[in-house]
Amino acid sequence: MKKFFALAAAVLFTAISVSAQDMAEATETAKAANEALMTGDNQTALAQFKSALEMAEMCGGEGMELAETCKGIIPKILLSLGKSDVKAKNYDAALTQLKEALETAKAYGSAEVQEDATELIGQVHNQKAAELLNNGDFAGAVEAYKEILANDPTNGMAALRLGMAYGKIGNSEEAAAAYETAMANGQDKNARKQLSILFLKQAQAALKGGKLQDAIDAAEKSGSYLESANAYKIAASAATKLDKKDAAVEYYEKYLELAPNAADANGIICTLAVLYQQAGNKEKAIENYEKILTDAKYGETAKAQLAVLRK
């Protein structure tokens, strides 16, 4: 029995000695980490603080204080490394560091770093996506903005920019859907403008390709989001070619309401006068011809037609 107690005491003494040595090593490692931190060598400091933490935790209660100190510093170093990558525009590396900072802060109970990392992650995603869009990497921008919206479906600005990126790669259907999302999330005015432009371009392409009814439909869709003189002009031109005179008159009248001082205004007035004349609306034909009597290009035509109409 005496031999057993003697052996147990020896083992305990050895364990205490080993623990003391481990604690001393952990302390020295933490000091070295702090020195690296003071000189701005964050990568070395991070590695050494992680090592010191591991050793301190192995020392049990004796290493608790040092372990807590390391846990307080490590998330801050990760956050600082992430910020450095943001400054250098290394966005993917920054996101990796910031996400690690966030997870580590959650594990170690650092509320301040959690808040800062969460905010920065959102900012970095936006910066990365904006840079891709501005640099013409539209496919990359699409993926970046989709990721933002996956995390925050109510981000109206991200949806608006996603629509722009889709538009640049010719994906009109997805662009329209993104703009609709933007409209529903605080970007009503901007999204309506973009939708109007999107369908106006479709109307122009349809008119040029001879798809006249498609041109009218797209022009009306454009105007449903935001009225524009160009949309009405396209619809009027297509309606005229389809011999839909009443519709053409309505579209041309709308065009002139929105663009009374357009360079081609007198030409449109002349066209209206002819359309009214063909429809047997003598009063409206005279009214329009009278508006262009002094025009250098259309004045003589107006005088001649007025003479006929007033007989």
Side-chain angles (χ1 to χ4, degrees):
M1 185 66 70
K2 290 182 179 179
K3 288 182 179 180
F4 173 78
F5 283 121
L7 179 61
V11 171
L12 180 59
F13 177 77
T14 302
I16 292 171
S17 298
V18 170
S19 177
Q21 290 173 2
D22 288 345
M23 191 61 207
E25 186 179 353
T27 302
E28 288 303 314
T29 302
K31 287 181 179 178
N34 191 61
E35 289 174 5
L37 190 62
M38 292 299 100
T39 61
D41 187 355
N42 287 347
Q43 288 287 5
T44 298
L46 178 63
Q48 290 180 324
F49 273 121
K50 285 182 175 181
S51 180
L53 172 61
E54 185 178 351
M55 287 187 284
E57 287 180 329
M58 291 175 64
C59 293
E62 188 179 353
M64 186 178 296
E65 184 177 352
L66 178 58
E68 290 303 312
T69 299
C70 292
K71 287 180 179 181
I73 295 173
I74 289 171
K76 293 179 180 179
I77 297 176
L78 287 166
L79 183 66
S80 180
L81 288 168
K83 288 180 178 179
S84 295
D85 282 324
V86 174
K87 189 175 182 180
K89 296 186 177 181
N90 297 326
Y91 298 124
D92 289 334
L95 288 169
T96 298
Q97 291 284 11
L98 292 171
K99 287 174 182 178
E100 185 180 354
L102 177 60
E103 292 307 311
T104 304
K106 287 179 180 178
Y108 294 166
S110 178
E112 182 181 354
V113 173
Q114 284 186 61
E115 183 178 347
D116 289 348
T118 300
E119 183 178 352
L120 273 172
I121 287 170
Q123 291 175 4
V124 173
H125 275 301
N126 284 320
Q127 286 177 239
K128 176 186 175 181
E131 187 166 290
L132 289 168
L133 184 63
N134 294 337
N135 289 341
D137 185 352
F138 303 120
V142 164
E143 294 307 313
Y145 281 118
K146 283 171 65 177
E147 186 174 359
I148 292 171
L149 287 165
N151 293 319
D152 180 10
T154 64
N155 190 325
M157 181 56 71
L160 183 72
R161 289 177 173 269
L162 175 61
M164 293 177 183
Y166 269 129
K168 290 293 185 180
I169 60 176
N171 194 331
S172 299
E173 187 175 340
E174 293 292 350
Y179 289 138
E180 291 286 354
T181 298
M183 280 178 60
N185 290 282
Q187 292 294 323
D188 184 81
K189 183 178 179 180
N190 291 329
R192 283 183 178 279
K193 180 180 178 180
Q194 293 301 325
L195 281 162
S196 179
I197 293 170
L198 177 69
F199 287 108
L200 179 62
K201 288 179 179 178
Q202 289 185 9
Q204 290 169 333
L207 182 63
K208 186 176 180 180
K211 298 178 180 179
L212 302 178
Q213 188 56 53
D214 287 349
I216 292 173
D217 292 342
E220 288 186 342
K221 189 77 171 178
S222 173
S224 71
Y225 289 105
L226 183 67
E227 280 192 314
S228 74
N230 285 337
Y232 283 121
K233 185 177 179 180
I234 290 170
S237 179
T240 300
K241 291 177 181 179
L242 288 171
D243 200 31
K244 295 182 176 182
K245 292 185 174 64
D246 290 343
V249 166
E250 181 181 349
Y251 293 136
Y252 277 131
E253 293 280 16
K254 286 287 189 178
Y255 172 76
L256 290 172
E257 283 180 23
L258 294 175
N261 300 315
D264 63 349
N266 284 348
I268 299 299
I269 292 170
C270 186
T271 299
L272 276 170
V274 171
L275 288 170
Y276 277 124
Q277 190 174 1
Q278 292 174 345
N281 192 332
K282 184 176 179 180
E283 183 180 350
K284 292 295 290 185
I286 290 173
E287 178 186 323
N288 279 279
Y289 280 129
E290 286 179 338
K291 292 178 181 179
I292 54 173
L293 276 172
T294 60
D295 185 84
K297 185 175 181 179
Y298 302 104
E300 291 304 315
T301 297
K303 288 176 184 177
Q305 294 303 317
L306 283 170
V308 172
L309 289 165
R310 285 170 175 165
K311 283 183 179 180

